[in-house]
Structures are given as structure tokens and as C-alpha cells.
Amino acid sequence: MTDVLAAVAVPTYLPSPPQGVWELGPIPLRAYALCIIAGIVVAILWTERRFVARGGEPGTVTDIAVFAVPFGLIGGRLYHVATDWPTYFGPGGDPVAALYIWQGGLGIWGAIALGGVGAWIGCRRRGIPLTAFADAAAPGIVAAQAIGRLGNWFNQELYGGPTTLPWGLEIYRRVDPSTGLPDNLTGVVVDPTPIAIVHPTFLYELLWNLAVAALVVWADRRFRLSHGRAFALYVAGYTAGRFAIELMRTDPATRVFGDIRINVVVSAVVFVGAVLYMVVFRGRPREVFGRTAATGSGDEAPGTPELVADSSTGKSTGDSTEDQRAHNEVEARRNEKSPAAEAGGHGGSSSSSSVDAAPADPAQEREEDVPAEPPSSAKS
């Protein structure tokens, strides 16, 4: 009985993977890279669904991602190298290793900043408001971050201090099988006895990110967030959790203001900026673009939009304003081609008056030359 109680009392800790890299012939298959790729795929698919629901054209997200993803990866690596520069450029550092992105090390702030530049380029090419795209992408981005944290688990990194909690993470000693030398990144576990039981801060952040994604989706539906406020909510929610989790981490990091981890300071500053943005831009209606602009509707429900009236045929769309505009344009072109107008010396006129001979009275001519409706060019 005592043995049974002792077995129950002993916590079952969370094991680390025995390795993070598998050799597929001459090609190393890295779990970290696979997690990053999986996160990107999820982000693109989820953003596509939300973007189309807001009125965007299908396929636009993929076009924008062609710019945003590589820019984000480069920005993430630059931020990591800049905030951990002694590892690469300090005494005994290896500058070439700064290019080894597959070894881990992507800073989210650099990824968001430079990825935003890439998204801006893609949005400009497609005529899409960047803020509308950012709002659609917000939950997908934070979900991708959650998936990416699994890569840190495989790499045995991003963990906290010692703990006896049942969900503590077991850290093993990994070695290079060919040499027997310690190699935490590409080595394998020979002895499954843990050398430490620590807080799995990567798991805390993973769960927090999923909660933030759910919060953004709920708030977006409840309050119809616009002009980048859904994205700002994601940033505020993420940084709030990152601030607390970063304080728990014990892995090496660049420290500022004495002994404060740099990401603690950055999280606090970015959180304040995100909250201020949400306050300043509150209450604004959603941007109108794509299919939503074509139908004149602000609804999110995806569907096939009605076609805008074709001014060359005058077909009705059910929109009285568009129908009137199309009618005016058809009448103007008819008058330009009218033989009577040419005979009267008025060929090329955009007048919507009668096509009979021009009146003798100049005052009457000026009065009749004023169209009953504004010309189509007055409507943007």
C-alpha cells in the first residue's frame, strides 16, 4: 500500500524529446524548422479565411505572404542577432553563425516589424489597406507563434528555473554520437536520466498565445474591430503574457538597465504602444475594400457579390446610385456620337441634353448643357 501511495505521490514530469534533428540521408530534418513552416502555413490559411470573410478577394493573402514571410524571417533573425550580439561578434563568437537560422533564434519583434514592411509592399501592389490585412492576420500570427514554440521544446531551450510541479520539464544531456561531446542542438540523448527539472516556459507561452488568438477572434466578432485594432489587441495580449513569462526564464539573454532581460523592457514598451493605439482608433467603421466595396456593403459574410453596373451596357445592379451613374455615362457617350450634335458643332460634348439641333438662344444652350445628374467622375 505504501509503495502504491509513493508511486502516486511521485510527479510525472514532462519529458524533452531525445533529439531535435533527424538525418534523412544527407539532409538534416530539423524539428525547429518544421514547426516554423507549419506555423506559417496555419497563419496563411487562417488569414485567408478571415480576409475573404471581410470582403477580400481569394488568393490575395498568398500574394501578400510572398513578401511578408521572407521579410519576417529576415527581420526575426536580425532582431535575435542584434539582441544577442556577443554570441556572434563578441570574444570567441562566430559571426558566420549569425546566418544559421536553422539553429534557432528568431525575435518576434523583428519578425513583426520587417514582416509588416513586406506586407505593406504586398498590400500596395493589390490596393489593400494594410490595417485591414493586419486585422485579418492577427489570430493566425499568434497561433503560428504557438506552433513555433514547439520547436523550442525540441531544441531544449526557452525554459525557466527549477521546479517540482507535476508539469516540470525534464532536461537531458545530449551528445554527438560520433564524438561523445556535448551537443544540445543536434545531439541525441544517451542517458534518459534528467539533469534538471525546470519550468516549461515555452509551454506557458504556447498556451498563452492560443488564449490570445481566441480573445482576438471573440473581440473582433463582438466589437467589429477595424483599422488595425484587432492586430493591436493581439500585440497587447501577447506582450502582457510575454512580460510575465520572460521574468521566469533562466536561459542566457542580453540584459539592460542593470540586470533586466531586454525582452522584458521591449514587451512593456510595446504593450503601452498597443493599448494607446486601440484607444486612439476606437469607434472607427471597418475599411471598405474588395468585394465589400463592389457591393456597397460592410457585411462580413462571404458570398458572391453583385456586379456593379456596366456603363457600356447599362445593366442594372440593384443599386440606384450605380444605375444612375451608368445611365449618365451611357447618355454622355451617345451624345458624343450623335450626328445631330456633330451637325450643330457640338461633337464630343458630354451634355446629357436633347440630341436635337442646338438652340438659337445662347442662354438656353448654357442652361441645357448642365446635366441633371453629376458626372460620373464626381463619384470616387
Side-chain angles (χ1 to χ4, degrees):
M1 182 64 177
T2 303
D3 294 339
V4 174
L5 292 176
V8 173
V10 173
T12 302
Y13 296 118
L14 176 67
S16 292
Q19 63 192 95
V21 181
W22 297 267
E23 299 295 335
L24 191 63
I27 302 175
L29 199 61
R30 303 178 184 276
Y32 182 83
L34 294 178
C35 291
I36 295 296
I37 294 172
I40 292 174
V41 171
V42 169
I44 292 176
L45 294 178
W46 198 352
T47 302
E48 171 78 7
R49 181 175 179 180
R50 285 173 51 82
F51 185 76
V52 171
R54 285 171 173 254
E57 294 294 334
T60 301
V61 170
T62 304
D63 293 342
I64 297 175
V66 169
F67 297 93
V69 171
F71 272 70
L73 291 175
I74 295 173
R77 187 59 177 179
L78 289 176
Y79 179 88
H80 168 75
V81 173
T83 56
D84 195 21
W85 64 268
T87 301
Y88 306 99
F89 304 102
D94 183 6
V96 179
L99 303 176
Y100 299 163
I101 192 173
W102 56 86
Q103 292 185 355
L106 291 174
I108 183 61
W109 312 122
I112 293 297
L114 208 54
V117 173
W120 174 76
I121 295 174
C123 287
R124 280 185 61 87
R125 290 171 60 91
R126 295 299 300 265
I128 301 298
L130 176 62
T131 53
F133 177 81
D135 284 339
I141 292 176
V142 72
Q145 290 176 240
I147 297 173
R149 284 305 179 213
L150 289 174
N152 301 129
W153 179 45
F154 280 94
N155 281 0
Q156 282 197 146
E157 57 188 3
L158 271 64
Y159 51 80
T163 182
T164 57
L165 293 172
W167 55 82
L169 176 67
E170 295 180 347
I171 299 297
Y172 308 127
R173 182 174 180 268
R174 289 178 176 175
V175 299
D176 184 338
S178 61
T179 64
L181 297 176
D183 187 349
N184 183 62
L185 185 64
T186 61
V188 298
V189 174
V190 177
D191 183 0
T193 303
I195 60 176
I197 308 294
V198 296
H199 279 284
T201 51
F202 83 90
L203 179 60
Y204 299 161
E205 187 173 331
L206 185 158
L207 297 176
W208 179 261
N209 289 347
L210 294 179
V212 171
L215 172 65
V216 172
V217 171
W218 172 82
D220 197 26
R221 291 176 178 175
R222 175 68 176 80
F223 303 107
R224 293 181 59 79
L225 301 177
S226 64
H227 291 274
R229 294 181 74 227
F231 187 84
L233 177 61
Y234 140 64
V235 173
Y238 171 74
T239 51
R242 179 66 181 269
F243 180 89
I245 295 170
E246 195 73 24
L247 293 174
M248 302 176 63
R249 289 173 55 177
T250 59
D251 54 323
T254 300
R255 297 178 181 269
V256 295
F257 303 119
D259 194 32
I260 303 177
R261 298 172 69 95
I262 189 171
N263 282 327
V264 172
V265 177
V266 175
S267 294
V269 172
V270 175
F271 172 82
V272 173
V275 172
L276 288 177
Y277 185 95
M278 286 191 292
V279 172
V280 171
F281 288 90
R282 69 184 184 277
R284 297 196 179 192
R286 281 190 171 175
E287 302 91 329
V288 178
F289 63 95
R291 295 178 299 116
T292 302
T295 60
S297 170
D299 295 336
E300 279 193 36
T304 303
E306 296 179 1
L307 296 176
V308 177
D310 184 348
S311 58
S312 64
T313 62
K315 292 182 180 179
S316 174
T317 68
D319 187 323
S320 59
T321 302
E322 293 295 339
D323 289 347
Q324 182 62 58
R325 177 187 65 79
H327 174 74
N328 291 342
E329 291 184 354
V330 171
E331 286 298 318
R333 282 197 291 269
R334 181 182 296 121
N335 292 336
E336 291 175 1
K337 300 176 181 179
S338 170
E342 293 177 359
H346 295 283
S349 170
S350 60
S351 169
S352 59
S353 58
S354 171
V355 296
D356 293 336
D361 186 355
Q364 181 181 1
E365 179 181 10
R366 286 194 301 271
E367 180 178 356
E368 289 186 354
D369 279 345
V370 178
E373 294 291 338
S376 60
S377 61
K379 181 175 180 180
S380 60

